[in-house]
Amino acid sequence: MRHFNGLTDSDLKTFFKYSPAEFSRDAERETLSLALGAALYTPGSRVDFAQRILSGDYNNGAFTGLTTLIVCLEDAVADTELKLAEENVVGELKKLEQATAEQLAAGPALFLRIRTPNQLDKLIKKAGTALSVLTGVVFPKCLPATLPLFFDALDRASEAAGRRLYALPLLETKEVLYSESREQTLADLHSIMQAEAERILTVRVGATDFSSLYGLRRPAERTIYDVHIIRDCLISILNRFGRSEDGYTVSGPVYEHFSSGERLWLSSKPEQTLWEEVQLDILNGFKGKTCIHPSQISIVNAGHIVTLEAYEDAQLILNESSKRNGVLQSPKRNKMNEVKPHLSWARKITAQAEVYGVLNENYQPIDVLNHIRANQLSNQH
């Protein structure tokens, strides 16, 4: 897999000084956690997701650039359809198990969002070694009482799969949102996760579930940061799980609006707002984002491309860090680079640059996005 794989070699030369690197689901945890990028959900009741992966449908057209697919057996499936959806997921995983390693590597990394540890145990019995096609499992509605049970079930799933499956804990309950219980709940969750840190790929957040606890829903023209009661909770989560010394990647919340029909790039309010929200996500420390529609994939991933100016600052800081501390003049002579306080930022930018690439001078991420969108629109005609 590689980000922006829909661009031609000529496009890559035009826009990138350093092109995005290839990666696989067996990459190091830090690399893979960053590389997840735009994570698209699909219901577990979808009967053809195995065939769509193997035929390359998730690599082309509207899905171009997708590296992360999450099959959902939780909120995306009605309770009345759950049994059929579970049977469908087991059958589809077994189809994927019959594919070659090359076929699987060509598609997105596959994850499964479950409801409970008991449900995962049920799937282990039915799917067995077919769980090996997964990269990890999303744990919903994580609480200190349930999180250890999820990890225990993940142990059993990994044993059945014959490979280590990653955990993707999802924070979305009232205990995390309500101010009187938030800090203690986050502290308890953090303590549990510290013992399992190497198995955690990303920490995820559920802003839609948070909003529902207050009967709130933001309109298309507002970012989640405009909903202050949710914003404050997201910042508390980042305060606990975004610390450099812990090494967690925290993924941004879903934006639930999207444009339908043929529209020019940035002519629709949902796309404008999503682009703005992605900038705010990254500014505050989120990496990647949950998506609910293919049109969101390129917007989210393009937001993570590193500019040449940021990359050069990061490289200067890293190169000088082993020799001296103090203040360095930036290559652009327009900002202060301090070795000690900016060192962890420089390391993160360098890791992000490896996955998403570094732009040529005078280009910005929006330029790459405009080009991708123009190609998508021209292919529709």
Side-chain angles (χ1 to χ4, degrees):
M1 291 180 284
R2 189 191 70 194
H3 279 294
F4 314 111
N5 57 9
L7 295 178
T8 65
D9 288 343
S10 175
D11 292 335
L12 291 170
K13 284 183 180 178
T14 298
F15 291 110
F16 288 92
K17 185 175 182 67
Y18 303 111
S19 294
E22 290 191 358
F23 61 92
S24 74
R25 64 176 184 155
D26 296 314
E28 291 186 7
R29 183 176 70 104
E30 180 192 29
T31 299
L32 186 58
S33 67
L34 280 173
L36 295 190
L40 187 69
Y41 271 82
T42 192
S45 54
R46 184 180 289 280
V47 296
D48 61 348
F49 73 78
Q51 179 56 35
R52 296 187 73 179
I53 289 172
L54 297 177
S55 66
D57 282 359
Y58 283 120
N59 297 344
N60 298 298
F63 296 95
T64 298
L66 179 66
T67 59
T68 305
L69 183 66
I70 302 176
V71 178
C72 183
L73 283 172
E74 207 219 359
D75 291 342
V77 176
D79 294 343
T80 54
E81 299 175 359
L82 183 59
K83 185 177 179 181
L84 286 175
E86 289 175 342
E87 293 173 356
N88 179 65
V89 166
V90 170
E92 295 296 288
L93 294 182
K94 287 184 175 180
K95 291 176 187 176
L96 290 171
E97 187 184 20
Q98 301 305 310
T100 65
E102 290 75 19
Q103 284 179 299
L104 290 176
L110 189 64
F111 298 84
L112 180 64
R113 179 176 173 177
I114 56 173
R115 294 191 178 199
T116 64
N118 287 340
Q119 184 187 45
L120 183 54
D121 279 325
K122 187 194 303 184
L123 294 170
I124 292 168
K125 290 178 182 176
K126 293 182 177 179
T129 56
L131 294 175
S132 63
V133 303
L134 297 175
T135 299
V137 179
V138 180
F139 303 162
K141 298 176 174 57
C142 288
L143 289 170
T146 60
L147 188 54
L149 302 177
F150 276 116
F151 277 113
D152 288 344
L154 187 69
D155 283 336
R156 295 186 286 274
S158 295
E159 185 176 356
R163 61 175 287 124
R164 180 176 70 170
L165 299 179
Y166 282 110
L168 290 78
L170 179 52
L171 310 183
E172 54 183 346
T173 63
K174 64 182 181 181
E175 291 84 356
V176 175
L177 179 60
Y178 295 168
S179 60
E180 64 270 23
S181 56
R182 178 185 305 158
E183 295 308 325
Q184 187 60 56
T185 301
L186 288 175
D188 291 344
L189 288 168
H190 182 266
S191 178
I192 294 167
M193 289 191 211
Q194 281 294 83
E196 307 280 3
E198 289 302 311
R199 304 169 66 192
I200 296 172
L201 194 55
T202 60
V203 178
R204 310 191 77 82
V205 296
T208 304
D209 283 58
F210 285 151
S211 298
S212 73
L213 290 166
Y214 284 95
L216 301 173
R217 186 175 191 182
R218 56 185 164 136
E221 67 271 13
R222 295 287 189 175
T223 75
I224 196 63
Y225 299 94
D226 293 320
V227 187
H228 290 191
I229 201 163
I230 310 302
R231 176 200 64 189
D232 291 349
C233 180
L234 296 178
I235 297 308
S236 290
I237 291 170
L238 285 170
N239 179 51
R240 180 63 66 171
F241 290 97
R243 301 174 187 184
S244 295
E245 64 265 24
D246 288 344
Y248 293 114
T249 297
V250 188
S251 183
V254 70
Y255 173 73
E256 62 199 58
H257 301 275
F258 54 89
S259 299
S260 59
E262 295 182 11
R263 289 178 175 269
L264 294 176
W265 162 237
L266 279 187
S267 69
S268 75
K269 184 54 71 174
E271 291 194 331
Q272 291 175 7
T273 307
L274 176 57
W275 180 247
E276 179 185 355
E277 184 166 295
V278 169
Q279 313 309 305
L280 291 170
D281 285 343
I282 296 169
L283 180 65
N284 283 285
F286 289 115
K287 291 290 187 292
K289 195 173 185 67
T290 298
C291 296
I292 46 90
H293 192 268
S295 64
Q296 299 178 337
I297 296 168
S298 57
I299 300 174
V300 172
N301 289 339
H304 289 76
I305 304 172
V306 175
T307 63
L308 182 59
E309 182 174 341
Y311 183 75
E312 288 181 340
D313 284 332
Q315 289 300 296
L316 175 66
I317 291 163
L318 286 173
N319 291 338
E320 294 295 324
S321 64
S322 61
K323 308 172 193 171
R324 62 191 176 105
N325 297 321
V327 179
L328 305 169
Q329 189 175 63
S330 68
K332 287 288 187 186
R333 300 178 180 271
N334 61 359
K335 72 177 72 62
M336 177 182 69
N337 286 327
E338 285 192 84
V339 173
K340 277 189 175 180
H342 289 141
L343 185 56
S344 61
W345 168 84
R347 289 176 177 142
K348 287 187 174 184
I349 283 291
T350 301
Q352 188 175 325
E354 177 79 9
V355 172
Y356 292 96
V358 178
L359 292 171
N360 279 317
E361 193 165 12
N362 300 323
Y363 282 105
Q364 295 295 319
I366 190 71
D367 299 316
V368 180
L369 181 56
N370 279 331
H371 183 77
I372 292 171
R373 298 292 284 160
N375 285 345
Q376 288 174 335
L377 287 169
S378 65
N379 290 335
Q380 290 176 8
H381 295 288

